[in-house]
Amino acid sequence: EKDTVELDISGMTCAACSNRIEKVLNKADGVENATVNLANETGTIEYRPGALSVDDMIAKIKKLGYDAALRA
Ligand code: 9UX
């Protein structure tokens, strides 16, 4: 099955930042499609919950030096 999650992502200051996060998320096992919006500071990720969790995604983003949280 497939799920979609929206994250708040902060700390991005240029388009290369958002591209970098997109690239890492899209290559992660279980991610079907990830788009990151620099202006809105959000990310939308379609993924397979059996393969990775939202916490896994947040950890990957934090490892790149940005902050991320589940969008309330
Ligand atoms: Mo742009 Mo983001 O030079 O870490 S890539 S600020």
Side-chain angles (χ1 to χ4, degrees):
E1 71 274 40
K2 195 164 76 174
D3 214 339
T4 302
V5 67
E6 200 163 349
L7 303 179
D8 284 313
I9 303 172
S10 59
M12 302 185 290
T13 54
C14 85
C17 292
S18 45
N19 290 340
R20 200 150 75 96
I21 297 170
E22 267 186 7
K23 201 173 187 178
V24 165
L25 291 175
N26 276 309
K27 79 170 189 195
D29 189 43
V31 171
E32 310 245 309
N33 187 59
T35 56
V36 176
N37 188 305
L38 172 65
N40 295 341
E41 298 189 293
T42 58
T44 304
I45 302 103
E46 292 173 14
Y47 70 108
R48 286 179 281 111
L52 90 169
S53 67
V54 173
D55 279 347
D56 291 332
M57 300 173 200
I58 290 173
K60 286 176 187 295
I61 296 168
K62 286 185 172 175
K63 201 173 171 184
L64 291 172
Y66 309 98
D67 203 7
L70 186 59
R71 194 161 168 79

